[in-house]
Amino acid sequence: MGDTRGDKLFGIVNTIVLLIILAIVMYPLIFVVSASISNQLAVSSGKMWLFPKEFTLVGYQKVFQNHDILVGYGNTFLYAIVGTSINLVMTVLAAYPLSRRKFAGKNIIMFIMVFTMFFSGGMIPTYLIIKKLGMLNTMWSLVIPNAVAVWNIIIMRTFFQESVPAEVQEAAMIDGCSHTGILMRVMLPLSMPILAVMTLFYCVDHWNSYFSALIYLTDRAKFPLQLILREILIQNQMDKMSGGATSLSEQIMYGQAIKYAVVVVANLPVFLLYPFLQRYFVQGMTIGAIKG
């Protein structure tokens, strides 16, 4: 049966709306990338509105000459890798037993966990606990307090319940698999989509996090990239980075180039990560979130 006139009209309208949304989303991204490699006089005067004008890499040269940014980059990679690994292990270990129908007390446990989504202990009690545990000014103050997200546990638990057939789990148990064996040999190999989604969620959260570091870290050598960017973009501390400028106007131009360049540099790893997880992303979100 061919499409009706209404179906064709809906398809056309839907395509137009999606193209408009795509343009709205893509324009700022393309503009920032283009501005980071353009002459800042052309950017400031409005001559550059989409594609680069008067190609230059002076912004990137200043960024990669800055020792603090390189140290922050390394720290953020470390925090993101360690934090995401802890997040995934904790989420899987919580979601699997909660997905078992015969697990006694799971409703009470779920109630307690969901309760924490609406009520928390507050910033000051959390700070005092971290101080008592001796985690101030350490990496663990950034990864341990946020070791798991309840919403992500719910999504993964639902995925385990809906996407892995109970018959497969029962067959593995008949063959002598323990719950650990079922989790490692059956559940996880069949759960790559939701694991990819969780990896993306947690990794982006760690990569963009700065508030915990602002509170718990005092040693500048341990600052993540986001704290360094905060100084550059918000507090306008670019005097060292714009060295070599012979006039105030040239210093301002350098400052603008540096701002655009650090935005690109800071977000590049996330942009590179997404294509590798994209094929799992839609499937994992559809099964895990919608059915949840």
Side-chain angles (χ1 to χ4, degrees):
M1 181 181 295
D3 293 338
T4 65
R5 181 177 298 178
D7 293 334
K8 294 179 180 179
L9 179 61
F10 173 79
I12 294 173
V13 173
N14 195 35
T15 301
I16 293 173
V17 171
L18 290 177
L19 289 175
I20 293 174
I21 295 175
L22 177 64
I24 293 173
V25 172
M26 289 300 297
Y27 177 74
L29 300 177
I30 297 175
F31 179 85
V32 170
V33 174
S34 298
S36 69
I37 56 177
S38 297
N39 187 309
Q40 294 306 304
L41 290 175
V43 177
S44 301
S45 62
K47 295 179 180 178
M48 199 290 300
W49 61 274
L50 184 60
F51 298 111
K53 294 285 187 179
E54 301 178 32
F55 180 83
T56 177
L57 293 176
V58 64
Y60 291 97
Q61 292 173 357
K62 296 295 182 181
V63 166
F64 288 109
Q65 288 173 359
N66 185 280
H67 179 262
D68 290 338
I69 288 182
L70 298 180
V71 171
Y73 230 102
N75 291 336
T76 300
F77 268 112
L78 176 63
Y79 302 154
I81 292 172
V82 174
T84 302
S85 301
I86 294 174
N87 293 144
L88 289 176
V89 171
M90 297 291 289
T91 302
V92 168
L93 294 181
Y96 174 71
L98 292 173
S99 68
R100 310 300 298 179
R101 293 183 175 86
K102 296 182 180 180
F103 180 56
K106 67 176 183 178
N107 292 332
I108 297 176
I109 295 174
M110 279 304 305
F111 173 79
I112 295 173
M113 295 174 67
V114 172
F115 183 83
T116 64
M117 296 175 64
F118 301 97
F119 303 95
S120 65
M123 183 173 66
I124 295 177
T126 303
Y127 180 89
L128 294 176
I129 290 174
I130 292 176
K131 182 179 179 181
K132 288 292 184 181
L133 292 174
M135 294 193 300
L136 283 181
N137 202 33
T138 67
M139 173 182 67
W140 307 113
S141 63
L142 306 183
V143 299
I144 296 299
N146 300 313
V148 69
V150 176
W151 178 246
N152 291 340
I153 291 177
I154 295 173
I155 294 176
M156 184 168 284
R157 180 207 62 174
T158 305
F159 189 96
F160 285 163
Q161 290 176 336
E162 301 291 341
S163 300
V164 182
E167 293 80 5
V168 175
Q169 303 177 45
E170 292 172 359
M173 190 167 292
I174 292 173
D175 288 341
C177 267
S178 63
H179 283 294
T180 302
I182 293 174
L183 175 62
M184 300 301 296
R185 299 180 183 180
V186 178
M187 304 297 285
L188 293 184
L190 296 176
S191 302
M192 292 305 297
I194 197 64
L195 290 175
V197 172
M198 293 297 104
T199 299
L200 185 63
F201 281 0
Y202 282 126
C203 187
V204 171
D205 185 59
H206 282 292
W207 188 266
N208 292 329
S209 176
Y210 78 94
F211 189 69
S212 295
L214 185 64
I215 297 175
Y216 302 130
L217 297 184
T218 56
D219 186 355
R220 188 176 181 83
K222 298 178 181 178
F223 279 7
L225 179 64
Q226 301 303 327
L227 276 190
I228 306 300
L229 297 185
R230 175 177 174 271
E231 295 179 353
I232 296 172
L233 298 176
I234 298 178
Q235 298 179 347
N236 290 321
Q237 296 182 5
M238 289 181 292
D239 295 340
K240 293 190 299 181
M241 298 183 65
S242 58
T246 57
S247 64
L248 179 60
S249 61
E250 189 174 347
Q251 184 175 350
I252 294 174
M253 292 297 103
Y254 277 1
Q256 292 297 324
I258 291 169
K259 283 186 176 183
Y260 288 121
V262 295
V263 170
V264 175
V265 169
N267 289 282
L268 185 60
V270 176
F271 288 145
L272 295 178
L273 175 65
Y274 182 79
F276 294 101
L277 303 179
Q278 184 180 12
R279 61 174 179 165
Y280 299 112
F281 189 79
V282 175
Q283 182 183 355
M285 283 301 297
T286 301
I287 298 175
I290 295 180
K291 287 188 177 180

